[in-house]
Amino acid sequence: MDTLLPIPTFMLYAALAGFGVTLMAGPLGSFVIWRRMSYFGDTLAHASLMGVALSFFLHIHTGLAVAVVCVLLALGLVSLQKQHFLADDTLLGILAHSTLAAGLVTLSFIREVRVDLMSFLFGDLLAVTPNDLIWIFATAALVLGLLIKLWRPLLAITVQEALAQVEGYPVSWLRLALMLMLAAVIAIAMKVVGILLITSLLIIPAATARRFARNPATMAIFASLLGAASVLIGLVASYFWDTPAGPSVVLAAASLFVITLAIPRPSGA
């Protein structure tokens, strides 16, 4: 009787890290699609490189530095949006590219530390450590707890923001809470798929789930499951074909999306 091949420890860690991220990315990606916030996600992802640079410059934990930068950017964006002096997409475009450039320039001044820029840009999923898993699942527990608590109010401001405000919902605070949760996920997901691919892990599974979901909760759950499937397929492909793990996960998600286009949508979805 043939014995099953043992699963390498690094592959197990990588799968757990990917599953932890997709737990958060599924529901948050759904809100990104519903509220058309994909450009905001890209802006936070680009800004995370500035957090990486500051972590080396100040000798602090990379995830913590990235989270702080993303949170500060989210707070600054909310403040700038209230001024109404620029359209949101223009403002996001300026912030996305200027923060990415600032991060690259800052890294160029750090001579004493050798920085593997490719691992930050495209992820280093196979290098996940037990300490990384603690950070990922602690963040997942916090984000999912907040999402459960704020689910109905967030849906209310997504469906009709003006009506939600009339009904007494704190629209500005809810919008900020959503931005901060996205910032936390982007900071923690950087290890999995990298700065340039983070937003795809938020959007693609949620866009795939949208075709078959009958209600918002179902879409959020389907998005997480599809994200987990993408992680599994991408890791298997990476292991057998020696391809980069992060991009392989994103390609797996995109492939699932393309495949589902050939499947008729169920009535009522």
Side-chain angles (χ1 to χ4, degrees):
M1 181 177 175
D2 294 331
T3 57
L4 293 174
L5 291 174
I7 301 175
T9 303
F10 69 89
M11 288 291 287
L12 181 60
Y13 288 164
L16 289 173
F19 295 159
V21 169
T22 57
L23 281 175
M24 303 175 278
L28 283 175
S30 299
F31 277 108
V32 166
I33 287 179
W34 294 331
R35 296 182 61 83
R36 299 180 181 179
M37 293 175 63
S38 58
Y39 206 178
F40 173 74
D42 274 332
T43 302
L44 285 182
H46 283 66
S48 63
L49 186 63
M50 187 65 195
V52 172
L54 289 177
S55 73
F56 285 110
F57 194 74
L58 301 175
H59 304 288
I60 59 178
H61 190 277
T62 302
L64 179 61
V66 170
V68 169
V69 167
C70 287
V71 166
L72 290 176
L73 182 68
L75 292 171
L77 181 61
V78 170
S79 177
L80 289 172
Q81 284 177 328
K82 291 180 180 178
Q83 307 301 320
H84 299 292
F85 67 92
L86 279 177
D88 284 357
D89 59 342
T90 303
L91 188 59
L92 288 169
I94 293 171
L95 290 173
H97 298 101
S98 58
T99 51
L100 179 63
L104 289 168
V105 170
T106 303
L107 284 173
S108 70
F109 285 109
I110 304 174
R111 306 292 185 185
E112 67 276 11
V113 179
R114 182 175 178 178
V115 180
D116 183 5
L117 194 58
M118 291 296 287
S119 69
F120 288 112
L121 293 178
F122 298 103
D124 197 5
L125 183 53
L126 299 181
V128 168
T129 65
N131 190 50
D132 293 325
L133 290 177
I134 293 172
W135 276 93
I136 289 172
F137 280 97
T139 305
L142 176 62
V143 169
L144 290 175
L146 284 172
L147 272 173
I148 291 170
K149 184 177 179 62
L150 300 176
W151 181 258
R152 288 187 179 277
L154 286 172
L155 278 181
I157 69 168
T158 298
V159 173
Q160 181 53 263
E161 196 167 283
L163 181 60
Q165 193 160 16
V166 170
E167 291 178 352
Y169 287 107
V171 173
S172 297
W173 285 107
L174 289 168
R175 192 188 304 126
L176 179 60
L178 182 59
M179 288 183 177
L180 294 181
M181 284 188 283
L182 279 169
V185 172
I186 285 171
I188 211 71
M190 182 181 63
K191 184 81 173 183
V192 176
V193 291
I195 290 167
L196 299 182
L197 301 176
I198 289 172
T199 313
S200 60
L201 200 59
L202 284 165
I203 293 173
I204 299 175
T208 308
R210 189 178 192 177
R211 288 178 46 79
F212 305 99
R214 295 179 180 273
N215 55 61
T218 304
M219 177 172 165
I221 294 170
F222 280 3
S224 290
L225 293 175
L226 286 165
S230 301
V231 168
L232 189 59
I233 295 169
L235 282 175
V236 170
S238 174
Y239 184 72
F240 284 104
W241 296 332
D242 195 25
T243 55
S248 297
V249 169
V250 174
L251 276 178
S255 299
L256 289 176
F257 175 76
V258 172
I259 291 170
T260 58
L261 292 179
I263 303 173
R265 295 180 63 176
S267 58

